[in-house]
Amino acid sequence: LKLTILNAKGRIWTMVAGGGASVIYSDTICALGGADELANYGEYSGAPLEQQTYDYAKTLLSLMTREAHPQGKILIIGGGIANFTNVAATFKGIVRALRL
């Protein structure tokens, strides 16, 4: 699990499974003109448990919602296919955090 804040006041936040996928998502956001609004770089991978993805998502959502943005904020959640990760468990953790 990795989380780096690039711009705490940024509008675009990502929660992506896998290091390769997270790079592609971030590069694409930047290529489409969103570099100045990209708030974080991070990824959850390595077969995290439901509790770990819950804690990760809860932390990210807390950081994301600290301050309002005049245009609103965007959360991009990506990933889903992994060779050694229980995808259902990771998404259960994310869903639990979103329900708070």
mmCIF file of all heavy atoms in Angstrom, residues 19-60:
data_model
loop_
_atom_site.group_PDB
_atom_site.id
_atom_site.type_symbol
_atom_site.label_atom_id
_atom_site.label_comp_id
_atom_site.label_asym_id
_atom_site.label_seq_id
_atom_site.Cartn_x
_atom_site.Cartn_y
_atom_site.Cartn_z
ATOM 1 N N GLY A 19 0.734 -1.391 -9.057
ATOM 2 C CA GLY A 19 1.719 -0.359 -9.372
ATOM 3 C C GLY A 19 1.726 0.057 -10.827
ATOM 4 O O GLY A 19 1.804 1.234 -11.150
ATOM 5 N N GLY A 20 1.620 -0.907 -11.733
ATOM 6 C CA GLY A 20 1.600 -0.570 -13.157
ATOM 7 C C GLY A 20 0.362 0.203 -13.531
ATOM 8 O O GLY A 20 0.427 1.209 -14.258
ATOM 9 N N ALA A 21 -0.768 -0.229 -13.025
ATOM 10 C CA ALA A 21 -2.034 0.462 -13.315
ATOM 11 C C ALA A 21 -2.028 1.873 -12.749
ATOM 12 O O ALA A 21 -2.492 2.816 -13.404
ATOM 13 C CB ALA A 21 -3.209 -0.327 -12.759
ATOM 14 N N SER A 22 -1.480 2.046 -11.565
ATOM 15 C CA SER A 22 -1.478 3.378 -10.957
ATOM 16 C C SER A 22 -0.636 4.360 -11.771
ATOM 17 O O SER A 22 -0.990 5.532 -11.886
ATOM 18 C CB SER A 22 -0.991 3.316 -9.509
ATOM 19 O OG SER A 22 0.331 2.841 -9.445
ATOM 20 N N VAL A 23 0.441 3.881 -12.354
ATOM 21 C CA VAL A 23 1.267 4.738 -13.208
ATOM 22 C C VAL A 23 0.486 5.127 -14.460
ATOM 23 O O VAL A 23 0.484 6.301 -14.865
ATOM 24 C CB VAL A 23 2.595 4.027 -13.576
ATOM 25 C CG1 VAL A 23 3.353 4.803 -14.642
ATOM 26 C CG2 VAL A 23 3.448 3.833 -12.342
ATOM 27 N N ILE A 24 -0.188 4.167 -15.063
ATOM 28 C CA ILE A 24 -0.973 4.450 -16.271
ATOM 29 C C ILE A 24 -2.088 5.455 -15.970
ATOM 30 O O ILE A 24 -2.294 6.402 -16.734
ATOM 31 C CB ILE A 24 -1.542 3.146 -16.875
ATOM 32 C CG1 ILE A 24 -0.389 2.310 -17.443
ATOM 33 C CG2 ILE A 24 -2.593 3.434 -17.939
ATOM 34 C CD1 ILE A 24 -0.775 0.902 -17.831
ATOM 35 N N TYR A 25 -2.791 5.272 -14.863
ATOM 36 C CA TYR A 25 -3.857 6.214 -14.495
ATOM 37 C C TYR A 25 -3.277 7.613 -14.307
ATOM 38 O O TYR A 25 -3.812 8.594 -14.841
ATOM 39 C CB TYR A 25 -4.554 5.767 -13.218
ATOM 40 C CG TYR A 25 -5.658 4.760 -13.419
ATOM 41 C CD1 TYR A 25 -5.389 3.462 -13.813
ATOM 42 C CD2 TYR A 25 -6.991 5.103 -13.198
ATOM 43 C CE1 TYR A 25 -6.399 2.529 -13.978
ATOM 44 C CE2 TYR A 25 -8.013 4.180 -13.360
ATOM 45 C CZ TYR A 25 -7.701 2.894 -13.747
ATOM 46 O OH TYR A 25 -8.705 1.971 -13.920
ATOM 47 N N SER A 26 -2.200 7.735 -13.540
ATOM 48 C CA SER A 26 -1.604 9.049 -13.281
ATOM 49 C C SER A 26 -1.079 9.691 -14.560
ATOM 50 O O SER A 26 -1.302 10.885 -14.799
ATOM 51 C CB SER A 26 -0.468 8.929 -12.262
ATOM 52 O OG SER A 26 -0.975 8.514 -11.026
ATOM 53 N N ASP A 27 -0.390 8.916 -15.378
ATOM 54 C CA ASP A 27 0.112 9.445 -16.649
ATOM 55 C C ASP A 27 -1.022 9.915 -17.548
ATOM 56 O O ASP A 27 -0.913 10.949 -18.212
ATOM 57 C CB ASP A 27 0.945 8.391 -17.386
ATOM 58 C CG ASP A 27 2.328 8.198 -16.799
ATOM 59 O OD1 ASP A 27 2.719 8.977 -15.899
ATOM 60 O OD2 ASP A 27 3.026 7.258 -17.232
ATOM 61 N N THR A 28 -2.109 9.164 -17.572
ATOM 62 C CA THR A 28 -3.252 9.535 -18.414
ATOM 63 C C THR A 28 -3.907 10.813 -17.919
ATOM 64 O O THR A 28 -4.240 11.700 -18.712
ATOM 65 C CB THR A 28 -4.283 8.386 -18.466
ATOM 66 O OG1 THR A 28 -3.634 7.219 -18.991
ATOM 67 C CG2 THR A 28 -5.473 8.744 -19.337
ATOM 68 N N ILE A 29 -4.074 10.931 -16.609
ATOM 69 C CA ILE A 29 -4.643 12.165 -16.042
ATOM 70 C C ILE A 29 -3.779 13.356 -16.438
ATOM 71 O O ILE A 29 -4.296 14.400 -16.875
ATOM 72 C CB ILE A 29 -4.766 12.052 -14.511
ATOM 73 C CG1 ILE A 29 -5.858 11.033 -14.146
ATOM 74 C CG2 ILE A 29 -5.058 13.415 -13.876
ATOM 75 C CD1 ILE A 29 -5.828 10.566 -12.711
ATOM 76 N N CYS A 30 -2.470 13.208 -16.326
ATOM 77 C CA CYS A 30 -1.553 14.299 -16.690
ATOM 78 C C CYS A 30 -1.604 14.591 -18.189
ATOM 79 O O CYS A 30 -1.646 15.756 -18.597
ATOM 80 C CB CYS A 30 -0.135 13.963 -16.254
ATOM 81 S SG CYS A 30 0.070 13.907 -14.463
ATOM 82 N N ALA A 31 -1.633 13.540 -19.002
ATOM 83 C CA ALA A 31 -1.681 13.725 -20.462
ATOM 84 C C ALA A 31 -2.955 14.418 -20.905
ATOM 85 O O ALA A 31 -2.964 15.116 -21.924
ATOM 86 C CB ALA A 31 -1.548 12.367 -21.160
ATOM 87 N N LEU A 32 -4.022 14.258 -20.136
ATOM 88 C CA LEU A 32 -5.302 14.900 -20.474
ATOM 89 C C LEU A 32 -5.440 16.284 -19.850
ATOM 90 O O LEU A 32 -6.510 16.878 -19.882
ATOM 91 C CB LEU A 32 -6.465 14.004 -20.044
ATOM 92 C CG LEU A 32 -6.574 12.682 -20.813
ATOM 93 C CD1 LEU A 32 -7.657 11.795 -20.202
ATOM 94 C CD2 LEU A 32 -6.866 12.937 -22.289
ATOM 95 N N GLY A 33 -4.350 16.805 -19.296
ATOM 96 C CA GLY A 33 -4.352 18.172 -18.779
ATOM 97 C C GLY A 33 -4.662 18.293 -17.301
ATOM 98 O O GLY A 33 -4.869 19.401 -16.802
ATOM 99 N N GLY A 34 -4.665 17.192 -16.565
ATOM 100 C CA GLY A 34 -5.037 17.244 -15.155
ATOM 101 C C GLY A 34 -3.874 17.243 -14.182
ATOM 102 O O GLY A 34 -4.076 17.068 -12.976
ATOM 103 N N ALA A 35 -2.660 17.459 -14.654
ATOM 104 C CA ALA A 35 -1.483 17.389 -13.778
ATOM 105 C C ALA A 35 -1.582 18.339 -12.585
ATOM 106 O O ALA A 35 -1.227 17.976 -11.466
ATOM 107 C CB ALA A 35 -0.207 17.663 -14.571
ATOM 108 N N ASP A 36 -2.058 19.546 -12.812
ATOM 109 C CA ASP A 36 -2.146 20.529 -11.726
ATOM 110 C C ASP A 36 -3.216 20.168 -10.702
ATOM 111 O O ASP A 36 -3.195 20.683 -9.590
ATOM 112 C CB ASP A 36 -2.440 21.921 -12.285
ATOM 113 C CG ASP A 36 -1.269 22.490 -13.063
ATOM 114 O OD1 ASP A 36 -0.137 22.002 -12.879
ATOM 115 O OD2 ASP A 36 -1.488 23.422 -13.853
ATOM 116 N N GLU A 37 -4.150 19.327 -11.092
ATOM 117 C CA GLU A 37 -5.245 18.946 -10.192
ATOM 118 C C GLU A 37 -5.078 17.550 -9.604
ATOM 119 O O GLU A 37 -5.895 17.117 -8.800
ATOM 120 C CB GLU A 37 -6.587 19.026 -10.932
ATOM 121 C CG GLU A 37 -7.012 20.427 -11.281
ATOM 122 C CD GLU A 37 -7.383 21.272 -10.057
ATOM 123 O OE1 GLU A 37 -7.517 20.729 -8.948
ATOM 124 O OE2 GLU A 37 -7.523 22.490 -10.223
ATOM 125 N N LEU A 38 -4.020 16.823 -9.980
ATOM 126 C CA LEU A 38 -3.806 15.481 -9.459
ATOM 127 C C LEU A 38 -3.350 15.579 -8.002
ATOM 128 O O LEU A 38 -2.298 16.124 -7.702
ATOM 129 C CB LEU A 38 -2.767 14.729 -10.297
ATOM 130 C CG LEU A 38 -2.497 13.273 -9.913
ATOM 131 C CD1 LEU A 38 -3.775 12.441 -9.961
ATOM 132 C CD2 LEU A 38 -1.439 12.682 -10.826
ATOM 133 N N ALA A 39 -4.159 15.061 -7.110
ATOM 134 C CA ALA A 39 -3.916 15.218 -5.677
ATOM 135 C C ALA A 39 -2.973 14.177 -5.100
ATOM 136 O O ALA A 39 -2.240 14.454 -4.157
ATOM 137 C CB ALA A 39 -5.249 15.169 -4.929
ATOM 138 N N ASN A 40 -3.013 12.963 -5.643
ATOM 139 C CA ASN A 40 -2.224 11.900 -5.029
ATOM 140 C C ASN A 40 -1.692 10.921 -6.057
ATOM 141 O O ASN A 40 -2.172 10.848 -7.179
ATOM 142 C CB ASN A 40 -3.064 11.141 -3.995
ATOM 143 C CG ASN A 40 -4.142 10.289 -4.647
ATOM 144 O OD1 ASN A 40 -4.996 10.776 -5.374
ATOM 145 N ND2 ASN A 40 -4.112 8.994 -4.379
ATOM 146 N N TYR A 41 -0.693 10.186 -5.605
ATOM 147 C CA TYR A 41 -0.259 9.003 -6.327
ATOM 148 C C TYR A 41 -0.252 7.887 -5.303
ATOM 149 O O TYR A 41 0.293 8.028 -4.208
ATOM 150 C CB TYR A 41 1.148 9.143 -6.924
ATOM 151 C CG TYR A 41 1.627 7.820 -7.472
ATOM 152 C CD1 TYR A 41 1.164 7.375 -8.695
ATOM 153 C CD2 TYR A 41 2.441 6.980 -6.724
ATOM 154 C CE1 TYR A 41 1.534 6.131 -9.187
ATOM 155 C CE2 TYR A 41 2.820 5.735 -7.211
ATOM 156 C CZ TYR A 41 2.353 5.323 -8.433
ATOM 157 O OH TYR A 41 2.689 4.092 -8.917
ATOM 158 N N GLY A 42 -0.870 6.789 -5.640
ATOM 159 C CA GLY A 42 -0.887 5.670 -4.715
ATOM 160 C C GLY A 42 -1.384 4.420 -5.383
ATOM 161 O O GLY A 42 -1.882 4.443 -6.510
ATOM 162 N N GLU A 43 -1.241 3.319 -4.660
ATOM 163 C CA GLU A 43 -1.735 2.043 -5.156
ATOM 164 C C GLU A 43 -1.849 1.073 -3.998
ATOM 165 O O GLU A 43 -1.129 1.180 -3.015
ATOM 166 C CB GLU A 43 -0.830 1.488 -6.253
ATOM 167 C CG GLU A 43 0.625 1.372 -5.883
ATOM 168 C CD GLU A 43 1.049 -0.020 -5.460
ATOM 169 O OE1 GLU A 43 0.208 -0.937 -5.442
ATOM 170 O OE2 GLU A 43 2.218 -0.176 -5.126
ATOM 171 N N TYR A 44 -2.800 0.192 -4.138
ATOM 172 C CA TYR A 44 -2.908 -0.896 -3.172
ATOM 173 C C TYR A 44 -2.757 -2.192 -3.957
ATOM 174 O O TYR A 44 -3.417 -2.419 -4.945
ATOM 175 C CB TYR A 44 -4.238 -0.845 -2.403
ATOM 176 C CG TYR A 44 -5.468 -0.961 -3.253
ATOM 177 C CD1 TYR A 44 -6.089 -2.198 -3.449
ATOM 178 C CD2 TYR A 44 -6.021 0.144 -3.882
ATOM 179 C CE1 TYR A 44 -7.228 -2.317 -4.244
ATOM 180 C CE2 TYR A 44 -7.153 0.029 -4.674
ATOM 181 C CZ TYR A 44 -7.747 -1.193 -4.841
ATOM 182 O OH TYR A 44 -8.861 -1.314 -5.629
ATOM 183 N N SER A 45 -1.801 -2.993 -3.547
ATOM 184 C CA SER A 45 -1.550 -4.248 -4.240
ATOM 185 C C SER A 45 -0.837 -5.192 -3.283
ATOM 186 O O SER A 45 -0.633 -4.869 -2.118
ATOM 187 C CB SER A 45 -0.714 -4.024 -5.499
ATOM 188 O OG SER A 45 0.559 -3.523 -5.159
ATOM 189 N N GLY A 46 -0.447 -6.345 -3.783
ATOM 190 C CA GLY A 46 0.243 -7.298 -2.940
ATOM 191 C C GLY A 46 -0.691 -8.112 -2.069
ATOM 192 O O GLY A 46 -0.326 -8.506 -0.961
ATOM 193 N N ALA A 47 -1.910 -8.330 -2.547
ATOM 194 C CA ALA A 47 -2.916 -9.126 -1.832
ATOM 195 C C ALA A 47 -3.280 -8.540 -0.472
ATOM 196 O O ALA A 47 -3.247 -9.227 0.544
ATOM 197 C CB ALA A 47 -2.476 -10.571 -1.702
ATOM 198 N N PRO A 48 -3.655 -7.255 -0.428
ATOM 199 C CA PRO A 48 -4.032 -6.680 0.863
ATOM 200 C C PRO A 48 -5.327 -7.313 1.380
ATOM 201 O O PRO A 48 -6.192 -7.713 0.612
ATOM 202 C CB PRO A 48 -4.222 -5.197 0.549
ATOM 203 C CG PRO A 48 -4.593 -5.167 -0.892
ATOM 204 C CD PRO A 48 -3.830 -6.303 -1.518
ATOM 205 N N LEU A 49 -5.442 -7.347 2.678
ATOM 206 C CA LEU A 49 -6.650 -7.853 3.324
ATOM 207 C C LEU A 49 -7.749 -6.797 3.257
ATOM 208 O O LEU A 49 -7.477 -5.610 3.050
ATOM 209 C CB LEU A 49 -6.356 -8.201 4.782
ATOM 210 C CG LEU A 49 -5.245 -9.218 5.020
ATOM 211 C CD1 LEU A 49 -4.953 -9.342 6.503
ATOM 212 C CD2 LEU A 49 -5.629 -10.566 4.416
ATOM 213 N N GLU A 50 -8.979 -7.230 3.470
ATOM 214 C CA GLU A 50 -10.106 -6.287 3.462
ATOM 215 C C GLU A 50 -9.856 -5.140 4.440
ATOM 216 O O GLU A 50 -10.105 -3.971 4.116
ATOM 217 C CB GLU A 50 -11.403 -7.011 3.828
ATOM 218 C CG GLU A 50 -12.601 -6.089 3.906
ATOM 219 C CD GLU A 50 -13.878 -6.791 4.318
ATOM 220 O OE1 GLU A 50 -13.973 -8.023 4.226
ATOM 221 O OE2 GLU A 50 -14.809 -6.080 4.748
ATOM 222 N N GLN A 51 -9.376 -5.445 5.635
ATOM 223 C CA GLN A 51 -9.134 -4.403 6.639
ATOM 224 C C GLN A 51 -8.080 -3.409 6.164
ATOM 225 O O GLN A 51 -8.198 -2.206 6.401
ATOM 226 C CB GLN A 51 -8.717 -5.016 7.979
ATOM 227 C CG GLN A 51 -8.566 -3.997 9.100
ATOM 228 C CD GLN A 51 -9.863 -3.289 9.450
ATOM 229 O OE1 GLN A 51 -10.914 -3.908 9.525
ATOM 230 N NE2 GLN A 51 -9.789 -1.982 9.661
ATOM 231 N N GLN A 52 -7.073 -3.893 5.481
ATOM 232 C CA GLN A 52 -6.024 -2.995 4.981
ATOM 233 C C GLN A 52 -6.565 -2.054 3.913
ATOM 234 O O GLN A 52 -6.238 -0.867 3.910
ATOM 235 C CB GLN A 52 -4.856 -3.806 4.428
ATOM 236 C CG GLN A 52 -4.073 -4.532 5.497
ATOM 237 C CD GLN A 52 -3.046 -5.462 4.908
ATOM 238 O OE1 GLN A 52 -3.368 -6.307 4.081
ATOM 239 N NE2 GLN A 52 -1.804 -5.320 5.346
ATOM 240 N N THR A 53 -7.378 -2.567 2.992
ATOM 241 C CA THR A 53 -7.931 -1.665 1.977
ATOM 242 C C THR A 53 -8.961 -0.732 2.591
ATOM 243 O O THR A 53 -9.099 0.407 2.153
ATOM 244 C CB THR A 53 -8.537 -2.422 0.779
ATOM 245 O OG1 THR A 53 -9.507 -3.340 1.228
ATOM 246 C CG2 THR A 53 -7.468 -3.112 -0.027
ATOM 247 N N TYR A 54 -9.661 -1.185 3.614
ATOM 248 C CA TYR A 54 -10.591 -0.300 4.334
ATOM 249 C C TYR A 54 -9.809 0.855 4.954
ATOM 250 O O TYR A 54 -10.178 2.025 4.783
ATOM 251 C CB TYR A 54 -11.344 -1.088 5.406
ATOM 252 C CG TYR A 54 -12.081 -0.203 6.380
ATOM 253 C CD1 TYR A 54 -13.277 0.420 6.021
ATOM 254 C CD2 TYR A 54 -11.582 0.013 7.659
ATOM 255 C CE1 TYR A 54 -13.948 1.243 6.907
ATOM 256 C CE2 TYR A 54 -12.249 0.828 8.550
ATOM 257 C CZ TYR A 54 -13.434 1.444 8.178
ATOM 258 O OH TYR A 54 -14.092 2.258 9.061
ATOM 259 N N ASP A 55 -8.733 0.550 5.675
ATOM 260 C CA ASP A 55 -7.928 1.595 6.310
ATOM 261 C C ASP A 55 -7.320 2.540 5.273
ATOM 262 O O ASP A 55 -7.303 3.761 5.468
ATOM 263 C CB ASP A 55 -6.818 0.973 7.159
ATOM 264 C CG ASP A 55 -7.350 0.246 8.390
ATOM 265 O OD1 ASP A 55 -8.468 0.549 8.845
ATOM 266 O OD2 ASP A 55 -6.626 -0.641 8.889
ATOM 267 N N TYR A 56 -6.846 1.982 4.176
ATOM 268 C CA TYR A 56 -6.263 2.788 3.095
ATOM 269 C C TYR A 56 -7.321 3.732 2.511
ATOM 270 O O TYR A 56 -7.086 4.935 2.372
ATOM 271 C CB TYR A 56 -5.709 1.861 2.014
ATOM 272 C CG TYR A 56 -5.061 2.558 0.848
ATOM 273 C CD1 TYR A 56 -3.748 3.001 0.923
ATOM 274 C CD2 TYR A 56 -5.750 2.748 -0.346
ATOM 275 C CE1 TYR A 56 -3.141 3.629 -0.155
ATOM 276 C CE2 TYR A 56 -5.150 3.379 -1.423
ATOM 277 C CZ TYR A 56 -3.849 3.816 -1.320
ATOM 278 O OH TYR A 56 -3.260 4.441 -2.392
ATOM 279 N N ALA A 57 -8.488 3.177 2.197
ATOM 280 C CA ALA A 57 -9.562 3.987 1.613
ATOM 281 C C ALA A 57 -10.053 5.040 2.598
ATOM 282 O O ALA A 57 -10.314 6.186 2.216
ATOM 283 C CB ALA A 57 -10.714 3.086 1.168
ATOM 284 N N LYS A 58 -10.174 4.672 3.849
ATOM 285 C CA LYS A 58 -10.630 5.618 4.873
ATOM 286 C C LYS A 58 -9.643 6.781 4.994
ATOM 287 O O LYS A 58 -10.050 7.945 5.075
ATOM 288 C CB LYS A 58 -10.777 4.887 6.206
ATOM 289 C CG LYS A 58 -11.484 5.684 7.277
ATOM 290 C CD LYS A 58 -11.801 4.823 8.477
ATOM 291 C CE LYS A 58 -10.580 4.741 9.356
ATOM 292 N NZ LYS A 58 -10.829 4.156 10.671
ATOM 293 N N THR A 59 -8.354 6.481 4.976
ATOM 294 C CA THR A 59 -7.333 7.528 5.042
ATOM 295 C C THR A 59 -7.411 8.434 3.817
ATOM 296 O O THR A 59 -7.410 9.661 3.937
ATOM 297 C CB THR A 59 -5.923 6.891 5.140
ATOM 298 O OG1 THR A 59 -5.857 6.115 6.333
ATOM 299 C CG2 THR A 59 -4.837 7.948 5.134
ATOM 300 N N LEU A 60 -7.496 7.835 2.638
ATOM 301 C CA LEU A 60 -7.558 8.620 1.406
ATOM 302 C C LEU A 60 -8.804 9.509 1.390
ATOM 303 O O LEU A 60 -8.724 10.690 1.057
ATOM 304 C CB LEU A 60 -7.544 7.702 0.190
ATOM 305 C CG LEU A 60 -7.328 8.419 -1.129
ATOM 306 C CD1 LEU A 60 -6.426 7.590 -2.020
ATOM 307 C CD2 LEU A 60 -8.636 8.673 -1.830
#
